[in-house]
Amino acid sequence: MKEARRVRDLFGHPAGLTVLFTVELWERFSFYGMRALLILYLTHVALAQRPQDMVGFATMAGLLGFDAARASSAQWQALASQIYGLYSGFVYFTPLIGGWLADRWFGKSRMIVAGGVLVALGHVLLTTHATFLLALVLVILGTGGLKGNIAAQVADLYAPQDGRRERGFSLFYVGINTGATAAPLVCAWLAQVWGWSAAFEATSVGMLIGLAIYVACLRLLPGARGRQAPAASVADQVAAGRGEAKAARRAAWAVLGLISLASVFMWMSYEQQANAMMRWLVATPDDVMMAWIQAIPPSVVLLGTPLLNRWWSHQARRGREPGPVTKLLIGAGFVVAAQLLLPVYALVSGGKPPAMVPLLVYFLIWEMGDLFFSPAAMGLYSRLAPEGKGATTMAMWYLTVFLGNIASGWIGGLWGLFSPVVYWTMIAALSGGCITIIALAAPTLRRIIARTRTLEA
């Protein structure tokens, strides 16, 4: 931590935040460019052209209980959704392994570089039909080295009691969403004009640019010379100050467990935007440019984050900034409100996709919820991380995305079996689990967080 503080601040935050912001921008360009096209590529190309020729297809089909010889069109659609769900889920599970390896053996920087190389290689291999599934595995493994460790390095930039931490994660979130905004626009256009290979190769180039920036700016990051001796977390400070080590750790894990459970329901809702919603909006490969709508959610984050951060900073100076639990509640409320719009749209249109303006309203409200919820949750994960387990604890946040994605992929297999009204009502009900858990647990969460802040004062 001392090493991080010796580096001058930039725009009111450690200079390393700008580096990690930029690296994450390009890494997310790589990820979201692929994510925007994956369900369409699976449905119209990979599973439509002798999928038996893909290495590992027979094994995967057997594990999923899928019989290619007897499968109906609806079953192929369900398989595409399951593959998408497994991929988009496991890219958020492997960061738990990558964080553990970083904390215990290799350090964050080495894991990030190795992960980036694997991701770039995986994206290059995607459009080689035989290696399609192998390419997905490489991306999953590479993301494990990258994702949690970059977020943990953001946490390393701030002392445990530094009030800028949550706002730093909001700015880091801008980097994520800058890449996520550009990727669907660029990659959908490339796929439409130049073909699938050009689109996926662009995602590989994005990852390599991010890696180059990271390596060039290592000196600005904490722990640049190897594994860093971690600063004591808030939970550990409380334990040391009151002699309640076990109780403090249990309290911190209880907070993280409740936030994790609530987050799973939120991600179930989010991943439908690239799964069932894309199949609702895109009927044929000729409509692939409709993937551009996935640039709408991150663009809302780009526009909204500076405004919210400015407001929160103003409120902080007056001692009135909303606490993290309040931010979680507001965010979850926005998500549920947005999700309730979709069954209404489907009912009014007779099951047809909504027009662009109602769709924009849905995305605007949903992403406002994300703006409140995700940075607050990430800040709490990093603040409550036990000593020496920063990367592993941050990876737990991505584990919630893993569980939400796996569930979302399975639920997406039901698309077509129910009417759009019934399907989107079911998703709205599931997203309600997020706000319900946070609301019921809010007094406990506030009490534990207040106890940690008593020592800081």
Side-chain angles (χ1 to χ4, degrees):
M1 188 63 65
K2 289 181 181 178
E3 180 182 345
R5 283 198 291 265
R6 284 199 297 268
V7 180
R8 66 185 178 86
D9 282 1
L10 191 62
F11 304 116
H13 287 268
L17 181 63
T18 302
V19 177
L20 296 174
F21 169 101
T22 307
V23 173
E24 186 70 353
L25 183 160
W26 282 106
E27 189 274 330
R28 291 290 88 182
F29 175 90
S30 173
F31 175 80
Y32 280 98
M34 177 184 170
R35 177 182 177 271
L37 303 175
L38 183 57
I39 193 68
L40 302 179
Y41 187 79
L42 273 166
T43 304
H44 299 296
V45 181
L47 296 181
Q49 300 177 0
R50 291 191 57 79
Q52 296 87 346
D53 293 342
M54 291 189 292
V55 175
F57 180 80
T59 301
M60 179 199 67
L63 291 173
L64 295 176
F66 179 80
D67 187 348
R70 300 180 181 179
S72 64
S73 175
Q75 289 171 317
W76 281 105
Q77 290 276 341
L79 178 64
S81 179
Q82 285 181 307
I83 294 173
Y84 173 84
L86 288 169
Y87 160 76
S88 60
F90 272 98
V91 293
Y92 291 106
F93 174 80
T94 51
L96 189 64
I97 300 172
W100 180 81
L101 290 173
D103 284 338
R104 189 170 182 106
W105 299 105
F106 302 109
K108 301 180 186 74
S109 295
R110 291 189 184 94
M111 290 301 300
I112 289 169
V113 172
V117 171
L118 287 178
V119 168
L121 179 60
H123 285 191
V124 168
L125 294 176
L126 268 174
T127 52
T128 301
H129 190 65
T131 59
F132 176 77
L133 294 176
L134 173 62
L136 291 182
V137 171
L138 290 175
V139 176
I140 289 170
L141 294 175
T143 304
L146 277 163
K147 195 66 184 154
N149 287 309
I150 288 183
Q153 284 198 325
V154 173
D156 288 344
L157 294 170
Y158 301 92
Q161 69 275 16
D162 193 332
R164 299 175 300 167
R165 181 184 293 252
E166 281 77 14
R167 294 195 293 277
F169 271 106
S170 288
L171 294 172
F172 178 68
Y173 213 51
V174 170
I176 292 174
N177 286 280
T178 301
T181 299
L185 300 173
V186 173
C187 294
W189 179 80
L190 287 171
Q192 184 84 36
V193 177
W194 298 100
W196 298 104
S197 293
F200 289 129
E201 285 166 6
T203 64
S204 183
V205 170
M207 186 67 259
L208 292 174
I209 292 173
L211 268 181
I213 293 170
Y214 184 82
V215 172
C217 299
L218 269 177
R219 63 184 178 80
L220 296 176
L221 302 175
R225 296 182 178 87
R227 284 197 301 135
Q228 184 184 15
S233 68
V234 171
D236 291 315
Q237 290 180 27
V238 172
R242 299 191 177 183
E244 300 175 349
K246 291 183 179 179
R249 282 195 293 269
R250 283 198 299 268
W253 287 117
V255 170
L256 296 179
L258 289 168
I259 296 171
S260 297
L261 183 59
S263 301
V264 169
F265 286 98
M266 188 182 78
W267 297 125
M268 285 184 196
S269 166
Y270 175 71
E271 280 304 321
Q272 292 302 314
Q273 296 175 6
N275 192 341
M277 181 171 287
M278 288 307 300
R279 287 182 285 165
W280 198 22
L281 298 174
V282 179
T284 70
D286 293 336
D287 298 327
V288 68
M289 273 303 295
M290 278 301 294
W292 77 268
I293 67 165
Q294 292 185 54
I296 298 173
S299 66
V300 174
V301 175
L302 290 181
L303 295 173
T305 297
L307 296 176
L308 270 180
N309 254 12
R310 185 172 181 178
W311 179 61
W312 286 336
S313 296
H314 176 69
Q315 294 293 87
R317 288 192 294 271
R318 302 171 62 187
R320 297 175 61 182
E321 181 181 4
V325 177
T326 301
K327 290 177 182 178
L328 293 175
L329 280 170
I330 294 172
F334 274 120
V335 167
V336 174
Q339 204 62 61
L340 285 169
L341 290 176
L342 292 185
V344 174
Y345 291 165
L347 184 64
V348 171
S349 66
K352 295 179 181 179
M356 188 53 60
V357 171
L359 202 59
L360 285 171
V361 173
Y362 158 78
F363 279 124
L364 176 63
I365 296 174
W366 204 104
E367 288 304 321
M368 283 300 295
D370 191 24
L371 273 173
F372 276 88
F373 193 96
S374 292
M378 292 173 77
L380 283 173
Y381 271 82
S382 68
R383 189 181 292 277
L384 296 172
E387 182 177 351
K389 297 181 180 178
T392 307
T393 305
M394 284 307 301
M396 282 183 58
W397 164 248
Y398 297 113
L399 188 61
T400 70
V401 188
F402 159 73
L403 294 172
N405 273 270
I406 294 296
S408 180
W410 180 83
I411 294 166
L414 302 176
W415 178 258
L417 299 179
F418 300 106
S419 71
V421 175
V422 172
Y423 185 87
W424 292 120
T425 299
M426 176 178 62
I427 300 300
L430 287 171
S431 66
C434 179
I435 191 170
T436 300
I437 292 168
I438 297 294
L440 291 175
T444 302
L445 294 176
R446 288 193 175 103
R447 185 168 60 251
I448 294 172
I449 293 168
R451 196 173 87 177
T452 66
R453 287 178 173 172
T454 299
L455 183 66
E456 293 175 13

